[in-house]
Amino acid sequence: MTKKIKWDYSPAPESTDHIQLKDQYDLFINGKFISGAEEKYFDTINPATEEKITAVAEAGQSDIDKAVKSARKAYDKTWSKMPAKERGKYIFRIARLLQERAREFSVIETIDGGKPIRESRDVDVPLAAAHFFYHAGWADKLEYAFPGRAAKPLGVVGQIIPWNFPLLMAAWKLAPALATGNTVVLKPAETTPLTAMKLAEIIQEADLPPGVVNIVNGAGDTGKYIVNHNDVNKIAFTGSTDVGKYIMKSVAGSGKKYTLELGGKAANIIFEDAAIDQAVEGIVNAIFFNQGHVCCAGSRLYVQESVADEVISKLQKRMQSLIVGDPLDKNTDIGAINSKMQLDKIKMYVKLGLDEGGSIYQSSCSIPKKGFWHAPTIFTDVSQSNRIVQEEIFGPVLAIQTFRTVDEVIAKANNSPYGLSGGVWTDKGSKIFKVTQDIRAGVIWANTFNKFDPASPFGGYKESGVGSEGGIEGLSGYVNLV
Ligand code: NAP
Ligand code: MG
């Protein structure tokens, strides 16, 4: 058994003095913060401490109606009529304001969602700003994105996002919709509403015409009101496959367009000729990054048999050095699980893995008493038919299998209802081409993992979704081409 390291880093917590949060947040409709018709509020908590941060208004049916009306009016009167280069200026302004306030956004993202500050600071916030910059650039150049065609906006777009990358998913949704001339009603996830509320403040500060962006909070029912509203022209959704299926059924026959970014169970494949130490670092990034709360997480590992012992023992050693704890600490690798509900789901799968006969290895890290935490966990002695190999866990839990030939691993990787992403580690370009061509998944990284760029489309095959986000493909989901 690998021993725990004998020394610790001194705590290096990011300060929270510079952030400003109100005691409660209202709905952002028609450019103003207003209370909901029913004046209901729900708490948002810090999953690392279980303490309440603030309260947020819950939008009911009549509030959604109000938000859609305000988006429609802004679409008809202002946004769709505005010269494209003016629209672009507003989006640039949002991007710059977000950059200016990057520190504040990172800290709020971390306390509301539980992810390590290193990630919100270095990944979520800069990428969110990059998405606004990238799409601001497209606003007045759509004729180059779609040569020979006229790109017309769709109208009012309903957008529903999950809790794992709250600000980044808001940026993925808002930036292309605005750049193409649509107006929006956006619903953040119930457990992570705060950076979207701060983004609403930026949108006000950027002087965006009232009603172009409306942000409403609430649970699944609030999402349903948006999906079923008859004056919404498109639903853009990121979340679970179950809710994605519900949305497909609900909008069938309504003429509404939809794009769905759903779950995943990515295969991460290590060939014997890979740079093993780099591959081990890649495995850690693929499954333990953001507590495994990543739709494209490399949650199925396939290691070529000849190097399996070496890879697994190096991985176990590396797991012992991962720091689990205070998400605000700059040394932390693995933060808090987003909610009690998600933690219970992860624990249920770990128990299931054991019941199915898997062998477990967990790092012996100390876990804080309060809050929601899960140690990095790997399973060996599992097989394709096991539920922990087939189903999305959305936590720091990895199922490891071995393979002998290229064809065998391609067949195993494709044996999944999902097809969002994947990874391949090898010294041979030919293997990279073979594997990336034959695996049915939207994004496959070679000798790296979890790399994103606004210009690169991201989307899934099979039960992982419909349509893409990012790049010209992402823009095309927000226009009618005539
Ligand atoms: P979820 O339950 O599907 O929730 C996603 C969003 O939909 C939340 O805002 C949620 O509100 C809302 N919602 C719930 N029920 C709804 C309904 N019937 N109609 C309309 N909206 C509804 O997903 P989650 O468990 O929070 O998020 C994790 C999932 O998202 C994973 O499966 C993951 O793979 C997927 N994901 C995919 C991508 C991608 O790009 N493919 C990216 C990130 C995450 P509440 O907050 O109240 O539940
Ligand atoms: Mg929270």
Side-chain angles (χ1 to χ4, degrees), residues 114-182:
K115 65 174 60 194
I117 186 73
R118 215 173 54 208
E119 283 169 20
S120 38
R121 183 194 64 194
D122 298 347
V123 181
D124 297 62
V125 178
L127 263 180
H131 269 268
F132 283 109
F133 276 120
Y134 172 80
H135 288 94
W138 271 126
D140 62 348
K141 299 174 197 69
L142 294 177
E143 75 248 47
Y144 301 101
F146 309 106
R149 314 283 296 270
K152 304 278 183 210
L154 304 175
V156 175
V157 181
Q159 304 186 317
I160 300 169
I161 54 175
W163 43 261
N164 58 342
F165 291 90
L167 177 70
L168 184 58
M169 289 298 114
W172 277 32
K173 295 277 179 288
L174 290 172
L178 298 180
T180 45
N182 300 280

Side-chain angles (χ1 to χ4, degrees), residues 139 226 384:
I226 298 176
Q384 283 295 116

Side-chain angles (χ1 to χ4, degrees), residues 123-285:
V123 181
D124 297 62
V125 178
L127 263 180
H131 269 268
F132 283 109
F133 276 120
Y134 172 80
H135 288 94
W138 271 126
D140 62 348
K141 299 174 197 69
L142 294 177
E143 75 248 47
Y144 301 101
F146 309 106
R149 314 283 296 270
K152 304 278 183 210
L154 304 175
V156 175
V157 181
Q159 304 186 317
I160 300 169
I161 54 175
W163 43 261
N164 58 342
F165 291 90
L167 177 70
L168 184 58
M169 289 298 114
W172 277 32
K173 295 277 179 288
L174 290 172
L178 298 180
T180 45
N182 300 280
T183 58
V184 176
V185 176
L186 172 84
K187 188 194 96 66
E190 195 182 345
T191 57
T192 52
L194 290 184
T195 42
M197 289 286 96
K198 295 305 272 186
L199 188 61
E201 290 177 4
I202 280 188
I203 286 167
Q204 258 187 342
E205 207 181 322
D207 218 8
L208 212 74
V212 172
V213 173
N214 304 275
I215 305 182
V216 289
N217 283 298
D221 280 346
T222 307
K224 281 188 190 169
Y225 302 141
I226 298 176
V227 170
N228 296 312
H229 197 291
N230 56 20
D231 199 29
V232 168
N233 302 97
K234 175 194 167 140
I235 299 295
F237 172 77
T238 297
S240 60
T241 295
D242 283 348
V243 176
K245 287 180 181 171
Y246 164 82
I247 292 174
M248 267 178 123
K249 284 184 204 144
S250 309
V251 304
S254 70
K256 279 177 204 159
K257 293 200 172 218
Y258 56 89
T259 39
L260 308 172
E261 302 288 343
L262 309 176
K265 192 75 185 177
N268 196 11
I269 301 169
I270 317 289
F271 284 102
E272 60 189 1
D273 55 18
I276 299 296
D277 290 339
Q278 271 146 277
V280 167
E281 224 28 61
I283 299 166
V284 167
N285 175 22

Side-chain angles (χ1 to χ4, degrees), residues 5 22 36 47 52 114 116 157 174 178 181 185 188 206 208 215 222 244 246 282 293 335 345 366 372 378 414:
I5 49 169
K22 298 184 216 160
K52 171 180 169 180
V157 181
L174 290 172
L178 298 180
V185 176
L208 212 74
I215 305 182
T222 307
Y246 164 82
H293 296 336
K345 182 175 160 195
S366 60
F372 314 130
I378 58 176
N414 279 332

